[in-house]
Amino acid sequence: MSYRIEKDSLGEVKVPFESLYGAQTARAVANFPIGKEKMPVEVIRAYGIIKKAAALANCDQNLLNENKRDYILQAADELITGKLDQHFPISLWQTGSGTQTNMNVNEVLANRISQLAGENPGSKKPVHPNDDVNMSQSSNDTFPAAMAISAVKKTEEFLLPVMQELKLELISKSEQYAELLKVGRTHLMDATPITLGQEFAAFAAQLEQIIAMVNDSLKYLKQLPLGGTAVGSGLNTKAGFDKLVVKYINLETENNYQPAVNKSAAIAAHDSFVNFSGVLKTAAAFFMKLANDTRWLASGPRCGIGELNLPKNEPGSSIMPGKVNPTQAEALFQVAAQVMANDTAVNIGGGSGNFQLNVAKPLIIYNILQSISLLGDAADSYRKRCLTGIEVNQERLAAYLEKNLMLVTALNPITGYDKAAKIAQFAYQENTSLKEAAVELGYLTAAEFEKYVEPQKMTQPNLE
């Protein structure tokens, strides 16, 4: 491999000739040989938005000339569209402020501009990575802004649409199965009847609430600390830079970001990310229940509950012929567990702000972006490859309902709780029906039992 020599404040460094990064990035590659994880590309591209907006704001404030501004805009557009993705080799596990990644961005843009201007990469002509690309900025305020923009963008453009599609499918199932009576279950034991439609409607209602929670939590992420520079004080910026840079970010993203009211707080602590991760964990809890209920209700086919039949996507066993497993539900369950674990990492990272700076920024955004990706991918796969193809075993529903001892609950207003309990216990002990038990005990006639115990009426308020 051939190299060129670049300089930073510590001296000369060899940089791979074909790369667009510079000396500080090369040092980071050498100094952080940790793991295989790299900075998520979403953060890198969000940085392009920030650098573009900063160049426009600095030019408006007469700090950056139009020629340099236009060069930065051209290079930043390439960064935003992914044309420069290959020039970001630094490990995720770097300094907690993300300084190495910010300088990686600054160097790539400056060196790309050198190419565009006919200069040699590393010449820092016509644009300097620190003085021009990083003007009015610090890693401490730009990195959390890139975190926020990347998380908001991925959530609004990917996760929320997937959740909405899943909710619509759950609503469709609730309408399709609105009249199918079945046994309810509490404590894993038989309970009073519901409809299968009500069961799916409950899932849809849970998800609707989670979607609202996600949208609400995004409002806090949209408060950007740009203009705070190193410690939130705004050193080396002109008054009003924060409003200008956010204005240009909104024009680029068609969003509604706001300057953080207290930039020191937004740099030193990342409570909005901790809150958002907690909402993702709540979504994971819902997906875990959805996955578990799906596989329990489909367990069998002969020796389990077996009320649902899932699509047969692939063979389930390497040794047991004909076995088919609830694989999509199992994948969804595992994703939910991983997202819960990610939230723990975010919680620890969020509590790692010392004085004027949180020093776990890469950790926080890596886990949040992974959670968004996993939840979206798994939910979309579950909907397409499991939920839409679910079929109902109506014979099994009817058979369980007929044997359900908890139908006796309808008799509470008629016989009282104690007599109703004796009917259920007698029926169970004698292996007979509830009606036969009620008649045998002398509490009701057969006609009276049939009048009062109507499973369909037990799925809604029934007292007059």
Side-chain angles (χ1 to χ4, degrees):
M1 180 182 292
S2 58
Y3 295 89
R4 66 177 187 271
I5 301 299
E6 289 207 23
K7 293 182 180 180
D8 61 12
S9 60
L10 296 182
E12 294 184 344
V13 180
K14 290 199 304 183
V15 178
F17 187 79
E18 297 298 327
S19 69
L20 285 180
Y21 59 78
Q24 290 196 46
T25 302
R27 290 187 192 279
V29 171
N31 288 331
F32 298 99
I34 305 170
K36 296 181 180 179
E37 297 84 1
K38 306 298 181 186
M39 188 60 62
V41 69
E42 295 91 346
V43 175
I44 301 301
R45 295 178 186 178
Y47 247 116
I49 294 171
I50 293 167
K51 298 299 178 181
K52 183 176 180 179
L56 288 164
N58 283 318
C59 186
D60 284 357
Q61 294 191 313
N62 299 314
L63 296 175
L64 189 72
N65 67 50
E66 292 181 358
N67 185 54
K68 290 183 177 183
R69 176 200 66 187
D70 291 344
Y71 271 128
I72 293 174
L73 298 185
Q74 185 176 354
D77 278 333
E78 292 186 7
L79 184 62
I80 293 167
T81 56
K83 293 181 180 179
L84 305 179
D85 285 352
Q86 70 271 29
H87 300 289
F88 296 89
I90 304 173
S91 170
L92 175 82
W93 310 109
Q94 55 182 272
T95 188
S97 62
T99 298
Q100 281 75 32
T101 289
N102 181 35
M103 276 310 303
N104 193 173
V105 171
N106 292 332
E107 289 177 337
V108 167
L109 292 179
N111 281 334
R112 177 58 182 144
I113 290 167
S114 293
Q115 284 185 335
L116 293 170
E119 301 285 351
N120 292 325
S123 67
K124 301 180 182 178
K125 297 178 181 178
V127 165
H128 192 285
N130 297 79
D131 297 338
D132 299 317
V133 181
N134 201 59
M135 181 182 285
S136 304
Q137 304 156 63
S138 165
S139 301
N140 296 354
D141 65 346
T142 59
F143 196 89
M147 291 166 63
I149 291 169
S150 62
V152 168
K153 182 178 176 64
K154 193 160 190 175
T155 300
E156 291 185 338
E157 295 180 4
F158 172 60
L159 180 58
L160 284 172
V162 167
M163 286 183 167
Q164 189 66 26
E165 286 294 318
L166 180 60
K167 187 190 81 170
L168 292 175
E169 185 62 35
L170 289 168
I171 291 172
S172 175
K173 284 285 186 289
S174 72
E175 294 169 349
Q176 181 182 352
Y177 304 143
E179 303 301 322
L180 292 182
L181 288 171
K182 60 163 287 180
V183 175
R185 295 179 177 88
T186 59
H187 303 272
L188 296 181
M189 306 298 283
D190 302 344
T192 55
I194 60 171
T195 69
L196 187 58
Q198 287 174 321
E199 196 161 32
F200 277 95
F203 291 137
Q206 279 184 272
L207 186 51
E208 183 175 18
Q209 186 177 53
I210 287 166
I211 290 171
M213 293 168 66
V214 171
N215 278 312
D216 185 64
S217 65
L218 289 178
K219 293 187 296 186
Y220 302 100
L221 288 185
K222 291 180 181 181
Q223 299 178 29
L224 305 181
L226 292 169
T229 64
V231 296
S233 64
L235 177 67
N236 289 348
T237 69
K238 268 192 175 182
F241 171 79
D242 57 344
K243 294 181 176 64
L244 271 176
V245 72
V246 171
K247 180 189 81 169
Y248 284 118
I249 286 173
N250 287 335
L251 288 173
E252 179 72 24
T253 62
E254 298 182 350
N255 216 307
N256 58 336
Y257 295 97
Q258 301 291 326
V261 175
N262 189 305
K263 295 173 180 58
S264 293
I267 290 170
H270 291 321
D271 299 337
S272 60
F273 292 95
V274 173
N275 174 63
F276 180 67
S277 180
V279 172
L280 296 179
K281 181 179 68 174
T282 304
F286 161 70
F287 285 134
M288 185 173 284
K289 183 181 188 301
L290 179 63
N292 282 334
D293 282 4
T294 299
R295 57 193 187 132
W296 277 109
L297 290 173
S299 60
R302 291 188 173 179
C303 302
I305 294 177
E307 292 179 352
L308 300 180
N309 297 323
L310 305 185
K312 298 178 180 180
N313 294 327
E314 66 276 312
S317 174
S318 62
I319 190 173
M320 292 177 279
K323 196 171 191 294
V324 179
N325 295 327
T327 53
Q328 290 295 316
E330 290 170 2
L332 188 60
F333 168 85
Q334 292 176 82
V335 160
Q338 183 62 57
V339 171
M340 291 177 179
N342 288 354
D343 181 63
T344 299
V346 172
N347 292 168
I348 295 169
S352 297
N354 308 114
F355 306 114
Q356 278 69 58
L357 183 66
N358 178 282
V359 289
K361 300 181 196 298
L363 168 74
I364 290 170
I365 192 57
Y366 176 80
N367 281 280
I368 283 177
L369 289 175
Q370 186 189 59
S371 292
I372 294 169
S373 292
L374 289 175
L375 288 173
D377 287 344
D380 195 46
S381 185
Y382 170 86
R383 177 182 65 83
K384 291 176 179 175
R385 298 172 179 86
C386 181
L387 183 60
T388 58
I390 283 177
E391 296 177 350
V392 181
N393 186 336
Q394 296 192 39
E395 291 183 2
R396 189 71 62 93
L397 289 184
Y400 285 151
L401 186 64
E402 185 178 353
K403 295 189 293 184
N404 183 16
L405 295 177
M406 291 304 100
L407 295 176
V408 78
T409 307
L411 295 178
N412 285 355
I414 309 304
T415 65
Y417 182 94
D418 291 339
K419 287 184 177 180
K422 288 181 180 179
I423 292 172
Q425 292 164 1
F426 185 86
Y428 180 70
Q429 291 165 0
E430 300 298 322
N431 194 26
T432 188
S433 70
L434 288 172
K435 181 168 68 173
E436 291 169 336
V439 173
E440 181 74 16
L441 291 170
Y443 295 154
L444 294 168
T445 66
E448 288 173 328
F449 182 91
E450 292 173 1
K451 175 183 176 182
Y452 296 126
V453 181
E454 296 184 66
Q456 185 68 51
K457 291 184 177 180
M458 296 179 69
T459 63
Q460 56 194 347
N462 64 330
L463 295 182
E464 296 181 357

